[in-house]
Amino acid sequence: MPTLDRSLIAKLPPFRALSSEELSAVLALARASRYPKGSEVFAQDAEAHAFYLLLSGHVRVVRTTPDGHQIVPRYINEGELFGIAVAMGRTTYPASAVAAVDCVVLAWPNSVWPQFQSRFPSVTASTYETIGTRLQDTHSRVEEISTQQVEQRIAGAVLRLARQSGRTTAEGIEVDFPVSRQDVAEMTGTTLHTVSRVLSAWEEKGLIVSGRQKIVVIDLNGLATLGEGRRSST
Amino acid sequence: MPTLDRSLIAKLPPFRALSSEELSAVLALARASRYPKGSEVFAQDAEAHAFYLLLSGHVRVVRTTPDGHQIVPRYINEGELFGIAVAMGRTTYPASAVAAVDCVVLAWPNSVWPQFQSRFPSVTASTYETIGTRLQDTHSRVEEISTQQVEQRIAGAVLRLARQSGRTTAEGIEVDFPVSRQDVAEMTGTTLHTVSRVLSAWEEKGLIVSGRQKIVVIDLNGLATLGEGRRSST
DNA sequence: CGTTTTCTTGAACAGATTCAATGCGTGTGG
DNA sequence: CCACACGCATTGAATCTGTTCAAGAAAACG
């Protein structure tokens, strides 16, 4: 069995503070797996047996409500932890994680978490920071949905996608995994119809270029201005 | 100076696992203060110097957006921790905390957090659990705002208030601190006008009794049924 | 007893959803 | 290799839920 290379994770925030030996120890406890596009890393409400780190690819986190609606709380980027239910004292996953493209993932069984606490406190500290950041992000989402118009919210979501998961191309900044109108709708609490209309309008204005499951931001500042909205200013 | 009584906190979830000596040690590091109704325990974006436990009263947590809108992420009940920015690696408070009624609060300086980590790990573990729970609650909020009608959301908010902060009276279950229509609006992402109309309609139907900054739930089940909504059923 | 804060309620308006029909790409199977 | 089917996207029209605007009443406060 090929040993995982320490360099894979040495530079990532959760492991930055670890020595070579510690990195090896951490890796020795992990298992790497490949998840093809569309496959599920874990399912909402399933028993949480492990926590994960995304080595490459993009993962969509999805919550399904009792009445069948779906919302996308976030996308996971390379180098981020996810499925860290154990750090919150939870026994089940609160959402599903689906590979948005082909992914490579490290998994640690939950049973190693207590060891991490004592042997690698910098890792668990970083995990708690991650959770804190996500709590803040989620509060910002509530704020946005509560106070902003749909167009502003879509602008915010598209900007976040471009900034966090964007790849610079000849045309502009392209979201580097497939995003449908429906996905954006689930991120912003609206319908795919409205998203489609809004994106079409932006394309007309030259702010973006878009296509089937594709969004390319041309004018970042223009979008940002839209996102600020006209609630107090106008 | 009067020593704080151990019994004050012995039964609370964060401290349940501690021995008498440990409780004393924890209390010795704390400072108790009174906050009159309407006063601020800490302010949004201020440097976080301490974390808190609410001994008695109710605290409203408020976020103000750049454009002046306010949202109420949650109310803190007796026995709950709040202002735990330090556990998330934050240096400022993400929201303000205002006494909804006269309150008594324990405060620990952030500098003791590392000691808590090593000496009272059950306390910090409980703290992380609290943060995890709040993250889940907040995701539920996003879900609600994204998928439910205003009336359902208000029903959800009122039910939560009644269940978490309700006091049983002759009339029914009364929210035991002053809640204005504006407050409910800020919890549900709507306007005080709409809240007023909805509450009036419910009063008409005999589901609640309400008055100035007062809400008494008469028919819990009736409200719960409303909250489930007619998205899929009708 | 006047002032302020909270609450109520009508009327008009508007943003976004819903309904419905159609177009376009991509990938698959004949 | 082409045709067809399915998933994704677009766009009009009708509708509606909830906001906004406006005015006023009731309860608390000093």
Side-chain angles (χ1 to χ4, degrees):
Chain A
M1 186 181 134
T3 309
L4 295 163
D5 196 300
R6 285 194 295 270
S7 66
L8 278 175
I9 64 165
K11 300 280 179 47
L12 303 177
F15 307 109
R16 213 167 255 161
L18 299 186
S19 67
S20 299
E21 295 74 41
E22 289 173 323
L23 284 173
S24 298
V26 165
L27 279 175
L29 295 167
R31 203 171 61 79
S33 342
R34 229 182 53 79
Y35 287 89
K37 173 177 173 178
S39 65
E40 207 171 51
V41 180
F42 54 78
Q44 179 169 348
D45 298 326
E47 281 295 320
H49 293 306
F51 58 97
Y52 300 87
L53 178 82
L54 182 60
L55 283 180
S56 87
H58 291 276
V59 168
R60 180 174 53 243
V61 179
V62 188
R63 273 174 74 108
T64 305
T65 68
D67 57 309
H69 283 265
Q70 296 202 322
I71 68 153
V72 176
R74 68 176 17 85
Y75 279 86
I76 305 295
N77 289 307
E78 295 186 357
E80 287 187 72
L81 291 164
F82 65 106
I84 41 186
V86 64
M88 302 184 280
R90 288 187 56 96
T91 59
T92 60
Y93 296 111
S96 301
V98 178
V101 296
D102 290 351
C103 289
V104 179
V105 160
L106 283 183
W108 289 269
N110 277 357
S111 54
V112 307
W113 182 256
Q115 303 175 45
F116 271 42
Q117 289 262 25
S118 43
R119 294 176 61 192
F120 317 114
S122 70
V123 176
T124 53
S126 163
T127 307
Y128 294 130
E129 218 170 291
T130 299
I131 296 173
T133 304
R134 290 186 188 167
L135 179 54
Q136 288 326 121
D137 289 349
T138 310
H139 276 140
S140 301
R141 274 278 287 283
V142 171
E143 219 173 79
E144 279 186 21
I145 302 187
S146 301
T147 65
Q148 303 189 321
Q149 307 282 97
V150 165
E151 184 175 27
Q152 303 176 306
R153 296 184 342 232
I154 298 176
V158 169
L159 280 172
R160 248 173 280 134
L161 285 173
R163 287 204 263 251
Q164 293 171 11
S165 320
R167 182 168 42 90
T168 304
T169 70
E171 290 181 302
I173 303 170
E174 175 169 359
V175 180
D176 80 342
F177 52 84
V179 217
S180 69
R181 306 295 183 257
Q182 177 70 42
D183 292 332
V184 176
E186 287 171 3
M187 298 170 69
T188 52
T190 179
T191 63
L192 79 159
H193 306 277
T194 301
V195 173
S196 180
R197 282 181 235 276
V198 169
L199 295 190
S200 296
W202 289 349
E203 190 142 19
E204 201 103 325
K205 291 196 212 159
L207 293 170
I208 64 167
V209 170
S210 77
R212 190 192 177 77
Q213 305 199 90
K214 185 183 102 171
I215 301 177
V216 186
V217 177
I218 306 297
D219 183 354
L220 262 183
N221 294 334
L223 263 195
T225 307
L226 262 184
E228 273 141 35
R230 60 200 108 65
R231 264 300 211 290
S232 44
S233 36
T234 309
Chain B
M1 181 181 136
T3 308
L4 295 162
D5 196 297
R6 285 194 294 271
S7 66
L8 279 175
I9 64 166
K11 298 281 178 48
L12 303 177
F15 307 109
R16 213 165 255 161
L18 299 185
S19 68
S20 300
E21 296 75 40
E22 289 172 323
L23 283 172
S24 298
V26 164
L27 279 174
L29 294 166
R31 200 172 60 82
S33 340
R34 231 183 51 78
Y35 287 88
K37 173 178 173 178
S39 64
E40 206 172 51
V41 181
F42 55 79
Q44 179 170 350
D45 298 328
E47 282 294 321
H49 294 303
F51 58 97
Y52 302 86
L53 177 81
L54 182 60
L55 282 181
S56 86
H58 290 276
V59 168
R60 180 173 55 244
V61 179
V62 188
R63 275 172 74 107
T64 305
T65 67
D67 56 310
H69 283 267
Q70 296 203 323
I71 69 155
V72 175
R74 67 174 19 83
Y75 279 87
I76 305 295
N77 289 308
E78 295 185 0
E80 287 187 71
L81 292 163
F82 65 108
I84 41 185
V86 63
M88 301 185 280
R90 288 188 57 98
T91 59
T92 59
Y93 295 111
S96 301
V98 178
V101 296
D102 289 351
C103 289
V104 180
V105 160
L106 283 183
W108 288 270
N110 277 357
S111 55
V112 306
W113 182 254
Q115 302 175 46
F116 271 41
Q117 289 262 25
S118 45
R119 291 177 62 193
F120 317 115
S122 70
V123 177
T124 52
S126 163
T127 308
Y128 294 129
E129 217 171 293
T130 299
I131 296 174
T133 304
R134 290 186 189 167
L135 179 53
Q136 288 326 122
D137 288 349
T138 310
H139 275 140
S140 302
R141 274 278 289 282
V142 172
E143 220 173 77
E144 278 185 21
I145 303 186
S146 301
T147 65
Q148 302 189 320
Q149 307 283 97
V150 165
E151 184 175 27
Q152 304 176 307
R153 295 182 344 231
I154 297 176
V158 169
L159 280 171
R160 248 173 280 133
L161 285 174
R163 287 204 262 248
Q164 293 171 12
S165 319
R167 182 169 41 89
T168 304
T169 70
E171 290 182 304
I173 303 170
E174 175 169 1
V175 181
D176 81 341
F177 53 85
V179 217
S180 69
R181 306 292 184 260
Q182 178 69 42
D183 292 333
V184 176
E186 287 171 1
M187 299 171 68
T188 51
T190 180
T191 63
L192 79 159
H193 306 278
T194 300
V195 173
S196 180
R197 282 181 235 275
V198 169
L199 294 191
S200 296
W202 289 349
E203 190 142 20
E204 201 103 328
K205 289 195 213 162
L207 294 170
I208 64 166
V209 169
S210 78
R212 191 189 177 79
Q213 304 200 79
K214 185 183 103 170
I215 301 176
V216 186
V217 176
I218 306 296
D219 183 355
L220 262 181
N221 294 333
L223 261 195
T225 306
L226 261 184
E228 274 144 33
R230 63 201 108 71
R231 264 306 211 288
S232 44
S233 35
T234 311

